[in-house]
Amino acid sequence: MPAASSLLASPLCTWLLAACMSTSFHPSDPLPPSISSPRRRLSRRRILSQCAPLPSASSALRGSSFHTLVTSYLACFEPCHDYYTSASLFGSRPIRTTRRHRRLNRASPSREAMAVALQPEQEVTTKKKPSIKQRRVVVTGMGVVTPLGHDPDVFYNNLLDGTSGISEIETFDCAQFPTRIAGEIKSFSTDGWVAPKLSKRMDKFMLYMLTAGKKALTDGGITEDVMKELDKRKCGVLIGSAMGGMKVFNDAIEALRISYKKMNPFCVPFATTNMGSAMLAMDLGWMGPNYSISTACATSNFCIMNAANHIIRGEADVMLCGGSDAVIIPIGMGGFVACRALSQRNSDPTKASRPWDSNRDGFVMGEGAGVLLLEELEHAKKRGATIYAEFLGGSFTCDAYHMTEPHPDGAGVILCIEKALAQSGVSREDVNYINAHATSTPAGDIKEYQALIHCFGQNRELKVNSTKSMIGHLLGAAGGVEAVSVVQAIRTGWIHPNINLENPDEGVDTKLLVGPKKERLNVKVGLSNSFGFGGHNSSILFAPYI
């Protein structure tokens, strides 16, 4: 607890002290001119001064706590008998006394001042927060659930081969929709990862999240023996979702049409975006930072940045972070169709997602999850973990312009990238690989490209690609999966192609964009962009661990 002298410097205590000291004159002292007139109605201050004198500030400070100090000064505001029998402060009608007030008056019939005892306490000293050396954050594990595979290596090899995961939707009959294609996950099993009872009740976004999270732990060498050695108070989960449990909620609405008794009792908790992180933490027994962030399609990057900050500040040593979404259901598809955001190239699904191509007609919906295992460097080295890359930092901004459209001059994106570079201590020349947000929308792709040219136009080594050309747009999970792509590029020395880039937009330099085949690149610093509805912009940076 701070010393009393420092407490008195606060606005609250200053006001209390000033108010109370102003009423502390003794009844025998001459009255101030403002209340010396015998004809003037007694003021509340005059009445209060006759009830309980205050201890002096110096005596109150000696050996007293803040609680007793405040109690002693608040005693001056306890009205006495004169107050309740005098004229009202706002009129001449007397104020009715209560049983409590009459009891208090009987206890002190003479209305003499009552002493207030101050309990002495031991002096408490304030400890200064120790300075913390900058803690480095590294990536030691990855987990994915995607249309191109559920293993980081399988997933990335398919990207390098230019394989498309876009196909016709099979989960439901979408004949009524103008869009009937998506980056749909055709085969997925939770066996060995999620308890069967939960697997039947949970929304897919939670199942994807739990599976990808546990796979990241396995990939990071967190075995049962290692788990026992971890300080679970400093292990956390920060995995978000843009849309949450839409199917669970939709099913509940359909059940409600019959009766509330037909509703899934888990419909509320399993629809919320935070419950995936919560359930994973319960499964692991991790008691550190645990929550989710929802910033539309920028969700994963926000989660990764905040998870890293928990490690940097010493609040955690290990964090699972990223994003998950599963919205390929009628209400999800219908909503985005109504927004006129989706491609309608149903006759040729693998050609539908085409960032920067002049013939693009909207993005393709995808689903899945991407999770990184972030760890404090010394903690990772101590347990002998394999370090894939180092997280350098990042930033986020808001366009504050439009719900779905990017800012016309790209101001928010430019500011975000520049802040990310400054926060990470990275120069523009050091960034030679960018995994762009590039969703295949007419306005979004070109605005991001222009922002990149503004920030990195003089860097001739720079290469840019978009993972979405092959898996579609995974919404809140996009940044997590694309962060895995950046880390894999650093690990392997290969960057994946941009497929379907046949007729680039006018003004787009194809030398900057990766071609139709994978390319060799010694990544110095890789940047991943994610932007979301509402004007959310985010940029994060990774580099080889040295």
Side-chain angles (χ1 to χ4, degrees), residues 252-263:
I253 293 174
E254 294 301 318
L256 185 59
R257 297 180 189 278
I258 302 172
S259 169
Y260 73 90
K261 296 179 181 179
K262 298 291 185 181
M263 293 174 67

Side-chain angles (χ1 to χ4, degrees), residues 2-305:
S5 58
S6 62
L7 283 170
L8 284 177
S10 72
L12 172 62
C13 294
T14 302
W15 178 84
L16 284 173
L17 184 58
C20 294
M21 292 302 291
S22 68
T23 66
S24 63
F25 60 85
H26 194 272
S28 62
D29 295 338
L31 293 177
S34 61
I35 58 173
S36 59
S37 172
R39 297 179 178 271
R40 184 168 298 174
R41 186 170 59 204
L42 287 175
S43 69
R44 179 171 180 151
R45 175 177 294 182
R46 172 70 182 277
I47 296 168
L48 293 179
S49 69
Q50 298 175 0
C51 298
L54 296 167
S56 66
S58 59
S59 64
L61 288 175
R62 287 196 296 269
S64 68
S65 67
F66 177 66
H67 179 267
T68 55
L69 175 63
V70 171
T71 302
S72 64
Y73 281 112
L74 286 180
C76 72
F77 294 104
E78 180 63 39
C80 66
H81 176 74
D82 284 348
Y83 174 80
Y84 290 102
T85 57
S86 67
S88 167
L89 293 177
F90 301 101
S92 59
R93 183 169 54 86
I95 298 177
R96 181 177 299 175
T97 58
T98 64
R99 181 179 300 174
R100 175 174 176 268
H101 299 135
R102 290 194 294 270
R103 186 172 64 250
L104 290 173
N105 290 337
R106 285 198 299 271
S108 55
S110 62
R111 299 196 296 275
E112 293 178 353
M114 298 175 63
V116 179
L118 297 179
Q119 298 297 329
E121 281 189 6
Q122 293 182 346
E123 185 177 353
V124 180
T125 57
T126 302
K127 293 183 179 179
K128 292 183 178 180
K129 184 177 179 180
S131 59
I132 299 176
K133 183 180 178 181
Q134 180 69 33
R135 288 156 57 96
R136 296 171 68 182
V137 181
V138 293
V139 180
T140 56
M142 298 177 287
V144 294
V145 174
T146 76
L148 287 181
H150 312 323
D151 175 87
D153 290 334
V154 172
F155 162 68
Y156 198 65
N157 285 333
N158 281 327
L159 288 179
L160 293 178
D161 291 341
T163 303
S164 175
I166 313 297
S167 60
E168 293 184 0
I169 296 173
E170 298 176 3
T171 306
F172 64 96
D173 182 6
C174 54
Q176 60 176 316
F177 294 117
T179 295
R180 299 183 291 278
I181 57 175
E184 185 181 49
I185 294 174
K186 302 300 184 184
S187 60
F188 171 73
S189 174
T190 59
D191 292 347
W193 302 107
V194 184
K197 185 180 292 186
L198 288 175
S199 188
K200 293 177 182 179
R201 293 174 170 173
M202 284 182 174
D203 190 278
K204 273 188 177 180
F205 98 94
M206 294 179 68
L207 298 177
Y208 293 162
M209 183 186 297
L210 266 65
T211 303
K214 290 187 176 181
K215 286 186 174 184
L217 288 178
T218 301
D219 184 59
I222 305 290
T223 62
E224 289 186 11
D225 291 337
V226 174
M227 185 73 80
K228 292 176 183 177
E229 299 297 321
L230 294 177
D231 182 355
K232 293 183 173 60
R233 298 169 301 177
K234 302 195 74 174
C235 298
V237 185
L238 212 177
I239 308 175
S241 176
M243 309 299 289
M246 287 190 71
K247 186 176 188 306
V248 166
F249 201 75
N250 184 72
D251 290 348
I253 293 174
E254 294 301 318
L256 185 59
R257 297 180 189 278
I258 302 172
S259 169
Y260 73 90
K261 296 179 181 179
K262 298 291 185 181
M263 293 174 67
N264 179 352
F266 296 94
C267 67
V268 171
F270 283 177
T272 58
T273 60
N274 73 298
M275 199 53 64
S277 282
M279 294 299 292
L280 182 53
M282 292 176 204
D283 200 346
L284 302 175
W286 285 13
M287 301 172 67
N290 183 280
Y291 55 102
S292 69
I293 296 173
S294 184
T295 48
C297 305
T299 290
S300 286
N301 277 11
F302 275 70
C303 290
I304 292 169
M305 276 186 279

Side-chain angles (χ1 to χ4, degrees), residues 401-434:
Y401 171 73
H402 192 271
M403 284 191 296
T404 60
E405 295 296 320
H407 197 285
D409 60 7
V413 174
I414 293 170
L415 178 62
C416 184
I417 293 172
E418 291 178 343
K419 286 179 63 178
L421 295 174
Q423 191 274 336
S424 307
V426 174
S427 67
R428 301 169 190 263
E429 293 73 26
D430 290 335
V431 178
N432 64 339
Y433 171 54
I434 295 176

